[in-house]
C-alpha cells in the first residue's frame, strides 16, 4: 500500500485530521531502511512507525511483518492501529501473555501476514512450531529500550536469531538506549530524534512540587485529588503493594478510583484501563506499568506519589498527560524523608487546598458477555441500547469490544434501569447478559 492511501485510511479509520511532523517524515522515508525513532510520548509514534512499516510489508507466503512490544496492553493498542490501516490481504493477529494460546493458534489458520506480539509469547509460538518467522522482512521494536532490557534480552536474542531475511527494521521509543545489543546488527540505521527540538509538538505541561508534612503522604494525596475533582488522573507509585494500599485508602474515602499493576490478572488489568478510559473510574492508581505505551486521551494530570527512580521513568510517566498538543499537569508529592533525585527540575510549589467535594463519576459501565467472536460490533451495541434500553445517542458513551465481551459507558443514573430494560432481548439473534460493573 502506498503512502497516500495509508494516510487516507488513517484519516478515515483513526479520525486523524493531519499528520504530525514526525508522522509525515516517517511516512515519506524511502524503503527498505533501518530506522531509529526517538520522540516524546504523545507525539503519535504508533502511527509514525505504522506508516512505513505497512508500506514495507508485501503479501507473500507466511508471516512477513512483525511488531514486538514489551507489554500486553501495548500489544492490543498497536494491533488495533495496524489492523485498521492494513490492506485487506494483510491479515493481522495479536499474541500476548494472558491471552488464550489456543485462540491465537486458531487465528493462524487464516495465514496472517502481520503479527503484533510480546517477546515471551512470540518465542513460545516459535518454539512450539505454530509460528515461522523465517520469511519476515519487516520488523518493528516498539518501546525498544524496554524490550531490550535485561529481562527481555534472552527472548529477544532467540527471536532475532531466527529473523534471517529482514530488509526493514524500525526501533521506536520516547527515551534512548545508550547501547544497542550486537544481535540487532544496526550499524547503518538512520536516526530520527524528535526530543529536545522544535520538530514536534512541545508538551504543554506544568510540573509542580507538593510538600507533604507526613512521610505517609496519603492525606496530602487526598487534598490534591479533591483539588483535581472532575479530572482524569493517574497516580504513580513504585511498588505493587503500595498501589494496593493507596487504592484501598482512596476507595474507603469514596474516591472513584481503579487499580492497575502487573500482579493483576489480564482481565482485571484490561477492565481497569477500560473503566479509566471511559470515565467510570477517573482516578487510576498504578505502578510504572501504566507509564508506557497507553494511548489514553484526556488525562488531565499525573501524580508522582512516589518519586520516579530515573529520568526515563519521569519522562514516560509525565508523558501520559499533555499529549498531542493538549495541556496537562504533573505533581510530585515530596516528604522530608524523600531524596529528591538530581535529575528533577526545579519545580513550582503547589499547596493543595483540599476543599473540593469527592464526586462520584457521572458514568457507569455496562458489561456484555459477547464480543467480536460473536460478530457483535460497536454499532450493534449502540443501536441495541438506544432501541431497547431507551438511551439517547448522546447517552451511549465509549464502547470497548474484546473477543468475547464488551464494555459500554452510560450515565450512572441510568445504568441499572438500562440493564433491566434490555434483559429480555437478543442482540443480532444472540442472547447476551448485560450487567452493571461495580
Amino acid at each position: 500500500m502506498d503512502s497516500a492511501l495509508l494516510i487516507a485510511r488513517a484519516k478515515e479509520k483513526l479520525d486523524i485530521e493531519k499528520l504530525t511532523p514526525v508522522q509525515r517524515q516517517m511516512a515519506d522515508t524511502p524503503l527498505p531502511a533501518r530506522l531509529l525513532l526517538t520522540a516524546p510520548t504523545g507525539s503519535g509514534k504508533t502511527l509514525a512507525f505504522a506508516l512505513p512499516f505497512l508500506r514495507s510489508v508485501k503479501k507473500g507466503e507466511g508471516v512477513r511483518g512483525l511488531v514486538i512490544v514489551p507489554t500486553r496492553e501495548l500489544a492490543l493498542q498497536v494491533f488495533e492501529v495496524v489492523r485498521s490501516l492494513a490492506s485487506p490481504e494483510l491479515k493481522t493477529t495479536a499474541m500476548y501473555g494472558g491471552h488464550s494460546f489456543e485462540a491465537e493458534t486458531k487465528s493462524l489458520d487464516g495465514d496472517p501476514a502481520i503479527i503484533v506480539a510480546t517477546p515471551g509469547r512470540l518465542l513460545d509460538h516459535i518454539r512450539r512450531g505454530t509460528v515461522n518467522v523465517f520469511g519476515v522482512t519487516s520488523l518493528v521494536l516498539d518501546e525498544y529500550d524496554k524490550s531490550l532490557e535485561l529481562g527481555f534480552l534472552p527472548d529477544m536474542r532467540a527471536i532475532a536469531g531466527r529473523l534471517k531475511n529482514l530488509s526493514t527494521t524500525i526501533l521506536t521509543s520516547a527515551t534512548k538506549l545508550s547501547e544497542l545489543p550486537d544481535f540487532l546488527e544496526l550499524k547503518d540505521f538512520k536516526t530520527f530524534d524528535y526530543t529536545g527540538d522544535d520538530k514536534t509538538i512541545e508538551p504543554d505541561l506544568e510540573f509542580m512540587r507538593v510538600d507533604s508534612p507526613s512521610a505517609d503522604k496519603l492525606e496530602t494525596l487526598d487534598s490534591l485529588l479533591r483539588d483535581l475533582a472532575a479530572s482524569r488522573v493517574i497516580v504513580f507509585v513504585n511498588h505493587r503493594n503500595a498501589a494496593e494500599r493507596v487504592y484501598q485508602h482512596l476507595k474507603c474515602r469514596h474516591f472513584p478510583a481503579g487499580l492497575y499493576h502487573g500482579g493483576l490478572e489480564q482481565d482485571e488489568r484490561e477492565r481497569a484501563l477500560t473503566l479509566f478510559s471511559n470515565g467510570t473510574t477517573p482516578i487510576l492508581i498504578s505502578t510504572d506499568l501504566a507509564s508506557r505505551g497507553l494511548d489514553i486521551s484526556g488525562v488531565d494530570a499525573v501524580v508522582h506519589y512516589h518519586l520516579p527512580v530515573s529520568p526515563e521513568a519521569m519522562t514516560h510517566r509525565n508523558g501520559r498527560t499533555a499529549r498531542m498538543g493538549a495541556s496537562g499537569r504533573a505533581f510530585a508529592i515530596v516528604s522530608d524523608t524523600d531524596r529528591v533525585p538530581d535529575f528533577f527540575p526545579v519545580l513550582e510549589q503547589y499547596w493543595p487546598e483540599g476543599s473540593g467535594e469527592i464526586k462520584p463519576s457521572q458514568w457507569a459501565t455496562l458489561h456484555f458477555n459477547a464480543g467480536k467472536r460473536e460478530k457483535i460490533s460497536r454499532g450493534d451495541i449502540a443501536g441495541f441500547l438506544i432501541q431497547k434500553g431507551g438511551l439517547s445517542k448522546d447517552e451511549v458513551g465509549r464502547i470497548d469490544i474484546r473477543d468475547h465481551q464488551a464494555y459500554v459507558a452510560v450515565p450512572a443514573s441510568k445504568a441499572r434501569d438500562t440493564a433491566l430494560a434490555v434483559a429480555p432481548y437478543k442482540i443480532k439473534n444472540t442472547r447476551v447478559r448485560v450487567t452493571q460493573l461495580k
Side-chain angles (χ1 to χ4, degrees), residues 383-408:
F384 182 65
L385 291 176
I386 293 168
Q387 295 169 18
K388 304 300 184 183
L391 297 180
S392 69
K393 181 179 179 181
D394 292 340
E395 290 174 329
V396 179
R398 175 174 172 140
I399 301 174
D400 292 273
I401 300 184
R402 306 288 187 250
D403 284 349
H404 297 289
Q405 54 192 333
Y407 302 91
V408 189

Side-chain angles (χ1 to χ4, degrees), residues 66-114:
L66 184 60
V67 183
I68 299 178
V69 299
T71 68
R72 308 166 185 176
E73 289 75 18
L74 188 53
L76 283 168
Q77 290 191 173
V78 171
F79 167 67
E80 291 295 340
V81 172
V82 172
R83 183 179 64 171
S84 297
L85 298 181
S87 56
E89 68 269 15
L90 297 179
K91 180 184 175 182
T92 304
T93 192
M95 300 175 170
Y96 51 90
H99 194 217
S100 166
F101 194 93
E102 291 72 20
E104 291 175 356
T105 302
K106 187 176 181 180
S107 74
L108 297 171
D109 293 342
D111 191 25
I114 298 171

Side-chain angles (χ1 to χ4, degrees), residues 243-265:
E244 294 277 356
R245 177 172 173 269
V246 173
Y247 168 72
Q248 292 299 334
H249 169 84
L250 294 180
K251 291 297 287 183
C252 288
R253 297 287 181 95
H254 304 292
F255 284 94
L259 176 66
Y260 183 74
H261 61 69
L264 300 173
E265 295 294 329

